[in-house]
Structures are given as C-alpha cells and as structure tokens.
Amino acid sequence: MKINIGINEEQRKAIAGGLSVLLADTYTLYLKTHNYHWNVTGPMFQTLHTLFETQYNELALAVDDIAERIRALGEFAPGSYKEYAKLTSIKEADGIPSAEEMIKDLVKGQEAIAKTARSIVPVADEASDEVTLDLLTQRMTVHEKTAWMLRSLVA
C-alpha cells in the first residue's frame, strides 16, 4: 500500500538513508562494546565488564527502534555485516586494546553516533518528522551522556 503519513517519498527515503547510517553505527558500536565486555582485563575489570554490558544492552534495544523507524518510513532496514561495513563511520579495533584504550575507543564511537544522529536532524526537521526527531533526540541524549561518563573514567 502507498504510505500517506504526511512525509513525501523523497523525504522518507532521505530520512531512512540517514537512519540506515545511524543503524550501522549503532550496531557496529554494539558489537565493539560486546567484544570489550568479553575481553577487558586489569584492575577495573569488574567495573568495566559491568559497564560495557549495560552499554551493549542499551545499544541492542536501540538498533530495534532505529530499524523499526526505517520500516515505518517504507524502506528496508540494512541488516548484514556487509551493509553495516559500507555504511558505518565507526572503525574496528585491531586486536585487544588495553582497558584504557577500550574506554577511549568507546568514547569515539559514542561521539560518532551522536554526530550521525545530529546530521539527520535537518532532513527530519524539514519534513516535519517529529517521530524521527524524537528518536534522534533520545539517541543523542544517550550517546552524549555515555561519552561523558566514559571520558570521566580516563580524565
């Protein structure tokens, strides 16, 4: 059926395209955070192991919200490593970094996602897509706060 939600097809495609990048960034950071949860070592092991688990669980919920918004806009959500690798701005880590390097790397990832979300705001705003704007505001809030908390660990 034709979608008639007050956002034209061109705008829906543009918003969904931006959200696809956000989804790829979020899933890539989810995978990286989960990896760090499994492989962190050192004197802050228990603290970081638990913190990273909280963070990857939050990211796992976020990918579903983002993908479902893409679908509500009438587009298919990317869902493979191949597609994510093409879309994401987040770089993979080489090897297993130290705990401090893990934290710094996750800060970069959190900040990257906040920037990706922020880059979609003008497109969604132009289309008066308040639903996507709300989702983006929620994502920016989470990622900016998480980046701040992680930065505080290595201050």
Side-chain angles (χ1 to χ4, degrees), residues 19-70:
L19 289 173
S20 293
V21 174
L22 184 65
L23 178 60
D25 281 352
T26 304
Y27 198 90
T28 302
L29 187 61
Y30 161 82
L31 184 61
K32 180 181 280 193
T33 306
H34 212 153
N35 175 33
Y36 290 172
H37 163 78
W38 290 326
N39 292 301
V40 67
T41 59
M44 291 193 50
F45 166 79
Q46 187 60 45
T47 299
L48 293 177
H49 183 75
T50 302
L51 178 63
F52 296 165
E53 181 175 14
T54 300
Q55 291 174 0
Y56 76 68
N57 282 328
E58 194 284 327
L59 291 163
L61 294 173
V63 295
D64 201 51
D65 290 341
I66 297 164
E68 288 179 357
R69 183 63 192 151
I70 293 167

Side-chain angles (χ1 to χ4, degrees), residues 22-143:
L22 184 65
L23 178 60
D25 281 352
T26 304
Y27 198 90
T28 302
L29 187 61
Y30 161 82
L31 184 61
K32 180 181 280 193
T33 306
H34 212 153
N35 175 33
Y36 290 172
H37 163 78
W38 290 326
N39 292 301
V40 67
T41 59
M44 291 193 50
F45 166 79
Q46 187 60 45
T47 299
L48 293 177
H49 183 75
T50 302
L51 178 63
F52 296 165
E53 181 175 14
T54 300
Q55 291 174 0
Y56 76 68
N57 282 328
E58 194 284 327
L59 291 163
L61 294 173
V63 295
D64 201 51
D65 290 341
I66 297 164
E68 288 179 357
R69 183 63 192 151
I70 293 167
R71 294 298 295 132
L73 291 168
E75 299 298 316
F76 288 103
S80 70
Y81 292 124
K82 184 178 181 179
E83 289 175 291
Y84 292 154
K86 282 192 248 178
L87 293 169
T88 190
S89 65
I90 296 174
K91 305 294 180 232
E92 293 221 23
D94 292 323
I96 304 298
S98 68
E100 185 170 332
E101 289 305 313
M102 286 179 180
I103 294 166
K104 290 177 181 178
D105 193 30
L106 292 177
V107 168
K108 288 178 192 172
Q110 295 287 340
E111 290 174 340
I113 294 176
K115 288 189 282 189
T116 297
R118 187 166 276 106
S119 74
I120 305 164
V121 168
V123 181
D125 191 40
E126 175 70 25
S128 298
D129 182 357
E130 287 82 6
V131 176
T132 298
L133 288 168
D134 182 55
L135 174 66
L136 295 171
T137 299
Q138 291 174 40
R139 298 313 315 147
M140 287 184 290
T141 300
V142 167
H143 295 292

